[in-house]
Amino acid sequence: DGGITQSPKYLFRKEGQNVTLSCEQNLNHDAMYWYRQDPGQGLRLIYYSQIVNDFQKGDIAEGYSVSREKKESFPLTVTSAQKNPTAFYLCASRLTNSNQPQHFGDGTRLSIL
Amino acid sequence: GQNIDQPTEMTATEGAIVQINCTYQTSGFNGLFWYQQHAGEAPTFLSYNVLDGLEEKGRFSSFLSRSKGYSYLLLKELQMKDSASYLCAVSPNAGNNRKLIWGLGTSLAVNP
């Protein structure tokens, strides 16, 4: 079945470490997105990519980095510069040539040890 | 600025009808989306409106008035499994950008 796969489901990070969250989709979607969700807050856009080898900062990109070397993959690295990384991270994708909605992966919950 | 307003919480009874409102002020408008999100899970797409009027999908319907910057999601014959957060999101511009502006969500509790 087609879909968006995020891994791992739960992730723990020590202070000062970088961690990478995986997002893979087999929907042949062009655009991919990374969001962060905190309790009581809406979805906040970290980075997005419309095509391979191109991506743009969202509203809260500081402390994060991404790459888009393949259409199917859009990994997010949470660097040690991100001072408050504990959150629920959601990856989404969509077709860009239509009014189709964004479809989400199951999310990764990141916690600091 | 760009803003979306939704009630924070609502409560309803199993079998009843509930209407969740969403008002928006955005730089442009190219469609409004409703998503359902159960606790600890990812949002799932419910409906999309770009023209004025009502879109019906089974027990769920969504309405849009562009002149009023207003939408609502109508849930009929409520079931316990409908207890979730409902997110309203607006696409302010056309083209390949399609960054969405998200509301904070309305947490709906369905009681027996």
Side-chain angles (χ1 to χ4, degrees):
Chain A
D1 287 350
I4 304 172
T5 301
Q6 289 188 243
S7 61
K9 192 170 180 66
Y10 298 95
L11 187 60
F12 299 92
R13 193 193 91 170
K14 293 182 179 179
E15 294 280 355
Q17 276 186 339
N18 294 351
V19 289
T20 298
L21 283 60
S22 170
C23 179
E24 303 277 333
Q25 54 97 1
N26 60 4
L27 301 168
N28 200 32
H29 286 174
D30 300 298
M32 297 186 74
Y33 306 80
W34 273 106
Y35 291 95
R36 170 181 173 142
Q37 189 174 38
D38 295 279
Q41 297 198 35
L43 296 176
R44 293 187 289 168
L45 184 64
I46 304 173
Y47 269 97
Y48 64 103
S49 168
Q50 300 293 314
I51 56 173
V52 175
N53 292 323
D54 186 49
F55 48 83
Q56 288 80 40
K57 293 182 179 179
D59 301 317
I60 55 165
E62 184 175 353
Y64 300 97
S65 66
V66 293
S67 63
R68 187 85 187 276
E69 297 177 0
K70 298 185 301 181
K71 188 175 185 178
E72 303 79 17
S73 179
F74 192 41
L76 173 74
T77 297
V78 184
T79 75
S80 57
Q82 171 50 240
K83 297 307 178 188
N84 186 22
T86 297
F88 188 42
Y89 290 87
L90 287 160
C91 178
S93 70
R94 65 175 289 274
L95 291 171
T96 56
N97 59 351
S98 69
N99 292 326
Q100 292 299 308
Q102 295 181 15
H103 295 276
F104 287 84
D106 289 338
T108 293
R109 195 166 297 277
L110 176 63
S111 301
I112 300 302
L113 294 177
Chain B
Q2 314 210 78
N3 192 53
I4 294 180
D5 289 313
Q6 306 178 233
T8 303
E9 295 179 340
M10 299 184 71
T11 303
T13 303
E14 194 174 14
I17 299 173
V18 71
Q19 177 175 312
I20 302 174
N21 296 326
C22 171
T23 58
Y24 61 90
Q25 301 89 38
T26 55
S27 56
F29 182 82
N30 195 51
L32 184 145
F33 299 85
W34 283 97
Y35 284 81
Q36 179 190 62
Q37 185 177 25
H38 285 102
E41 299 181 9
T44 56
F45 170 70
L46 290 178
S47 68
Y48 171 72
N49 295 73
V50 66
L51 299 176
D52 291 350
L54 188 68
E55 294 280 344
E56 297 189 75
K57 271 188 183 181
R59 293 190 301 116
F60 292 5
S61 303
S62 56
F63 172 83
L64 175 68
S65 169
R66 289 172 297 171
S67 62
K68 295 182 179 178
Y70 167 70
S71 173
Y72 67 72
L73 181 68
L74 193 71
L75 290 72
K76 303 175 186 176
E77 302 169 14
L78 280 172
Q79 302 175 10
M80 299 297 290
K81 67 178 182 180
D82 297 330
S83 293
S85 183
Y86 291 86
L87 310 177
C88 174
V90 170
S91 175
N93 48 29
N96 288 338
N97 188 329
R98 296 303 283 253
K99 289 168 56 178
L100 298 180
I101 310 300
W102 292 86
L104 297 183
T106 299
S107 180
L108 174 66
V110 179
N111 297 320

